Amino acid sequence: MTDNSSQTPDALDGLSYEEAREQLVAVVGRLEAGGASLEESLALWERGEALAKRCEEWLEGARKRLAAAREPGNAPE
């Protein structure tokens, strides 16, 4: 796995939902495995928080698109 913990939050904007979710799963796995230093654990935690936020942004965008598509007059004929 590539170490993405040094990426800036702005770099997350380019991630698809699937990429962000995959990286989040990897971060959680590394944290659960233990053995990381306190500093590395904190960096992983911060990265995980940023990835979780990015995933939530994607999901919220999808919810809004679905809601807009369900509005009267927007249904395909």
Side-chain angles (χ1 to χ4, degrees), residues 4 6-8 16 20 26 30-32 34 39-40 45 47 51 54-55 58 61 63-64 66 70 74-76:
N4 294 315
S6 62
Q7 287 183 354
T8 63
S16 69
R30 288 179 63 193
L31 285 168
E32 287 179 341
E39 194 63 35
E40 184 181 7
W45 181 270
R47 175 74 178 165
L51 288 164
R54 181 65 180 142
C55 288
W58 268 106
R63 284 184 200 106
K64 287 179 182 177
L66 284 171
R70 289 181 173 170
N74 290 338

Side-chain angles (χ1 to χ4, degrees), residues 19-73:
E19 292 167 331
R21 186 191 67 219
E22 183 179 309
Q23 288 184 24
L24 179 56
V25 168
V27 166
V28 170
R30 288 179 63 193
L31 285 168
E32 287 179 341
S37 68
L38 177 59
E39 194 63 35
E40 184 181 7
S41 294
L42 288 172
L44 286 167
W45 181 270
E46 290 170 348
R47 175 74 178 165
E49 287 288 326
L51 288 164
K53 181 179 177 186
R54 181 65 180 142
C55 288
E56 185 57 38
E57 289 168 352
W58 268 106
L59 292 174
E60 186 58 32
R63 284 184 200 106
K64 287 179 182 177
R65 289 176 62 191
L66 284 171
R70 289 181 173 170
E71 289 179 8

